[in-house]
């Protein structure tokens, strides 16, 4: 595969590219470019010859055709909330950023409101609002939903807290419109649930992190809105109890079990310590906590009754030591806030080495035990802040620095700790990136932990769809 060389983009090509979108939307001024060149944590900062903001799919196609002919690297960007640096250009200044954020139209909602066609720059929150207007639900929910956009959400196959019941972004897209590396447009905006006509091209682009094509629009699946939600925070005597409780919850609530999240004692302690107006509404100190949500189609108390019965049974079985069921929406929100603040609550404690991993659900307790040994070996005294989507086997295994250690010295251990952690995860049949993707951050690890056959297939797909290697160079592969 040819790689675009890191040489400056010729002036005549820059002019052609600018003319496609018009001067107002071709940003070359460093101040105007700045928001597109750095991500919110400032971990990745790049440079770009040009930031282009096309307003139509046809403009995206023309940009790609021009970039392809000239061999210019193109970095697709949507809401710029990605956590692995995939949306940020390299430091060479020889690439252009293609922002889809002006592709903002919701083209259609079908008559029965089972599908919506939204362009790539529509934010997740705007999709929620448009579905809500029709009395429907688009059940993908992320803390970044006010900023992240459909193109980025699908390109990263984002997850979140509703995956247990509804699946991740991949399961919520029926079709896509994609501009290929050479500027051809693939219109795959079908809203069919069934289509067995060969390779699934849609699934190829979802999760491809901008390396195979530019997603310009998507057909999204809509659902009926649950009329009732019952939420409980539960204290467990040990992590193994979470497995028993999860099995019981699935048996009793079936598909109405819409969340099964977990947090360690230390994670909750940090939330209580650093996040204003938070309170733990339970008596006992427990080593682990679980947040369960059961939904109901009717507002008739069925969900609450199911949850109560489940907790009574679990208490009899010794799986639960204490629990509180929210009696109002405000209380439910307060319980969710404990879980959703876990990431933010680590910041005041200094450096944190983060792992977004998954293992088969039954292996979570074993993984946690072994992971703690890994941490002690790499950085004695470092403190695991464990939380995540238990029901999906997805653990956010973040490790906060030992108190009083210098932050930079601790963060210098990142590669050593991740290599050991990802080795453990791989040996246990898990994944080194459950939600956030590979981007720049985990590219080296992908090479190390994917099998040679998997890497060969991925490279073959990349060469077939992007023979000049102009789409998001240096990311993923
Ligand atoms: P960007 O950041 O702009 O791009 C992400 C990647 O997609 C890049 O590789 C980019 O090149 C590519 N890309 C962007 N647009 C396109 C396109 N149109 N066509 C092709 N490729 C494209 N993720 C989860 O899964 N679960 C969470 O719970 C979660 N929580 C988060 C919380 C916070 C506070 C933040 C900041 C992020 C969180 N994320 C989470 C990360 C998640 O990846 C992003 O929120 C979202 O999915 C990315 O969307 P974006 O529009 O910001 O994409
Ligand atoms: Zn998550």
């Amino acid at each position: 595969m040819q790689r675009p060389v890191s040489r400056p983009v010729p002036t005549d090509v820059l002019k052609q590219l600018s003319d496609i979108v018009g001067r107002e939307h071709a940003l070359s001024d460093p101040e105007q470019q700045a928001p597109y060149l750095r991500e919110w944590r400032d971990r990745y900062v790049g440079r770009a010859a040009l930031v282009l903001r096309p307003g139509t799919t046809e403009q995206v196609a023309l940009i790609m055709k021009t970039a392809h002919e000239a061999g210019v690297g193109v970095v697709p960007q949507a809401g710029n909330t990605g956590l692995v640096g995939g949306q940020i250009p390299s430091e060479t200044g020889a690439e252009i950023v293609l922002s889809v954020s002006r592709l903002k139209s919701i083209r259609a909602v079908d008559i029965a409101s089972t599908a919506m066609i939204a362009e790539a720059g529509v934010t997740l929150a705007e999709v929620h609002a448009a579905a809500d207007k029709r009395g429907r639900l688009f059940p993908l929910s992320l803390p970044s939903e006010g900023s992240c956009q459909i193109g980025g959400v699908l390109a990263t196959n984002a997850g979140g807290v509703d995956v247990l019941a509804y699946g991740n972004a991949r399961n919520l897209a029926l079709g896509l419109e994609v501009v290929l590396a050479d500027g051809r447009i693939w219109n795959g905006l079908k809203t069919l649930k069934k289509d067995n006509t060969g390779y699934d091209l849609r699934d190829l682009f979802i999760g491809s992190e901008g390396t195979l094509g530019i997603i310009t629009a998507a057909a999204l699946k809509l659902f009926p809105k649950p009329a009732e939600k019952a939420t409980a925070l539960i204290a467990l005597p040990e992590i193994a109890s979470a497995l028993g409780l999860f099995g019981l919850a699935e048996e009793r609530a079936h598909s109405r079990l819409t969340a099964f999240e977990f947090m360690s004692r230390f994670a909750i302690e940090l939330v209580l310590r650093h996040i204003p107006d938070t309170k733990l509404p339970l008596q006992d100190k427990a080593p682990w906590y679980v947040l369960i949500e059961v939904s109901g189609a009717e507002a008739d108390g069925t969900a609450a009754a199911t949850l109560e019965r489940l907790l009574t049974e679990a208490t009899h079985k010794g799986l639960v030591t204490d629990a509180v069921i929210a009696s109002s929406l405000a209380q439910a929100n307060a319980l969710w806030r404990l879980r959703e603040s876990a990431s933010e609550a680590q910041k005041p404690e200094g450096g944190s080495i983060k792992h977004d991993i998954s293992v088969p659900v039954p292996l979570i307790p074993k993984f946690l035990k072994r992971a703690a040994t890994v941490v002690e070996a790499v950085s004695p005294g470092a403190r695991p802040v464990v939380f995540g989507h238990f029901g999906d086997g997805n653990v956010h295994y973040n490790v906060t620095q030992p108190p009083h250690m210098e932050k930079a010295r601790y963060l210098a251990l990142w590669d050593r700790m991740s290599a050991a952690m990802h080795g453990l995860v791989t040996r246990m049949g898990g994944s080194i990136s459950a939600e956030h993707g590979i981007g720049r951050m985990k590219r080296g690890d992908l090479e190390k932990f994917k099998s040679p056959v998997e890497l060969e297939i991925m490279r073959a797909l990349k060469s077939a769809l992007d023979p000049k290697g102009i789409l998001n160079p240096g990311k993923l592969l």
Side-chain angles (χ1 to χ4, degrees):
M1 191 201 317
Q2 258 179 283
R3 282 218 167 279
V5 274
S6 319
R7 61 178 152 77
V9 185
T11 322
D12 60 320
V13 176
L14 287 178
K15 177 158 186 333
Q16 278 177 48
L17 290 166
S18 302
D19 287 348
I20 294 167
V21 293
R23 211 187 261 166
E24 191 191 340
H25 298 297
L27 315 179
S28 53
D29 175 58
E31 215 163 287
Q32 284 184 320
Q33 282 192 353
Y36 300 87
L37 303 184
R38 48 174 7 111
E39 39 97 271
W40 62 297
R41 301 159 305 182
D42 276 348
R43 184 171 295 153
Y44 299 99
V45 183
R47 288 185 337 131
L50 210 51
V51 174
L52 296 174
R53 296 165 28 88
T56 62
T57 300
E58 289 67 30
Q59 288 185 357
V60 176
L62 271 175
I63 292 169
M64 289 315 301
K65 186 169 182 289
T66 309
H68 189 255
E69 279 163 9
V72 174
V74 178
V75 181
Q77 190 179 100
N80 190 8
T81 68
L83 295 172
V84 289
Q87 72 280 18
I88 302 297
S90 71
E91 293 78 8
T92 62
E95 295 158 4
I96 60 166
V97 171
L98 190 161
S99 164
V100 295
S101 56
R102 281 182 67 230
L103 303 176
K104 280 210 84 68
S105 146
I106 291 181
R107 293 187 194 163
V109 179
D110 74 13
I111 299 167
S113 300
T114 59
M116 173 196 297
I117 296 183
E119 292 188 343
V122 179
T123 66
L124 189 50
E126 287 163 347
V127 168
H128 290 164
D132 194 61
K133 237 176 160 176
R134 301 284 187 131
R136 290 262 149 175
L137 172 77
F138 183 66
L140 189 83
S141 174
L142 307 175
S144 52
E145 63 200 25
S147 310
C148 66
Q149 300 167 7
I150 287 306
V153 165
L154 288 169
T156 57
N157 186 26
V161 292
D162 295 301
V163 172
L164 184 63
Y166 298 99
N168 43 25
R170 185 184 298 287
N171 304 98
L172 300 170
L174 294 161
L176 296 182
E177 178 186 85
V178 178
V179 174
L180 303 182
D182 60 7
R184 283 176 295 162
I185 300 172
W186 170 52
N187 184 341
L189 281 175
K190 289 183 176 164
T191 54
L192 305 173
K193 283 212 171 158
K194 292 186 153 184
D195 177 16
N196 282 347
T197 52
Y199 308 140
D200 195 324
L201 302 181
R202 174 198 61 193
D203 270 355
L204 200 56
F205 292 103
I206 296 175
S208 67
E209 300 187 40
T211 63
L212 297 181
I214 311 246
I215 298 168
T216 47
L220 305 172
K221 234 189 251 182
L222 302 181
F223 292 78
K225 278 206 292 197
E228 185 189 3
K229 277 183 179 177
T231 312
L233 184 72
I234 300 156
L236 308 180
E238 54 174 354
I239 188 64
S241 309
L243 275 182
L245 184 60
F246 181 55
L248 199 62
E250 282 203 304
E251 267 172 41
R252 298 293 175 262
H254 293 245
S255 59
R256 289 174 294 124
L257 178 66
T258 41
F260 196 101
E261 299 284 308
F262 82 129
M263 290 177 88
S264 65
R265 172 80 208 168
F266 185 55
I268 282 227
E269 265 169 19
L270 291 191
V271 171
L272 299 174
R273 194 181 302 166
H274 297 300
I275 306 292
D277 306 321
T278 49
K279 200 169 121 246
L280 184 65
L282 295 170
Q283 301 290 320
D284 289 337
K285 277 193 172 188
W288 294 95
Y289 296 88
V290 161
L291 193 149
I292 295 187
E293 183 187 85
V294 176
S295 298
E298 313 239 7
D300 58 1
T302 310
T306 304
L307 186 55
E308 267 169 46
R309 273 202 309 274
L310 164 67
L311 288 177
T312 309
E313 198 178 340
T315 308
H316 281 311
K317 290 189 163 161
L319 298 169
V320 164
T321 51
D322 197 3
V324 56
I325 298 183
S327 59
S328 66
L329 184 61
Q331 272 184 20
N333 289 342
L335 297 184
W336 270 109
R337 191 149 170 261
L338 291 173
R339 161 65 186 85
E340 287 181 333
S341 308
S343 193
E344 200 187 327
Q346 289 158 63
K347 274 183 212 149
E349 296 285 324
S352 177
I353 299 180
K354 304 193 178 200
H355 308 93
D356 160 38
I357 63 91
S358 65
V359 290
V361 176
L363 297 187
I364 292 178
K366 204 176 276 174
F367 164 75
L368 293 172
K369 215 172 181 181
R370 294 182 185 169
T373 317
V374 166
V375 169
E376 262 316 285
V378 177
S379 177
R383 301 162 293 164
V385 182
V386 182
F387 59 94
H389 318 289
F390 189 95
D392 308 326
N394 181 185
V395 185
H396 292 301
Y397 198 91
N398 297 352
V399 190
T400 285
Q401 66 170 79
H404 312 303
M405 187 172 179
E406 195 195 323
K407 184 175 170 183
R409 236 184 79 222
Y410 176 68
L411 291 179
L413 298 171
W414 191 303
D415 288 349
R416 253 182 72 203
M417 181 145 359
S418 307
M421 201 63 78
H422 291 160
L424 170 64
V425 164
T426 305
R427 286 194 298 281
M428 296 184 80
S431 166
I432 63 165
S433 183
E435 285 193 315
H436 303 154
I438 299 296
R440 266 169 87 167
M441 187 171 156
K442 294 187 179 172
R443 212 176 68 148
D445 278 1
L446 192 77
E447 293 253 337
K448 235 189 286 167
F449 295 112
K450 276 253 181 206
S451 71
V453 175
E454 283 171 307
L455 286 170
E456 273 166 35
I457 297 171
M458 286 171 75
R459 289 193 182 113
L461 290 169
K462 174 74 176 167
S463 308
L465 284 164
D466 181 18
K468 289 189 171 181
I470 61 166
L471 272 169
N472 223 356
K475 314 289 169 51
L476 185 58
L477 284 173

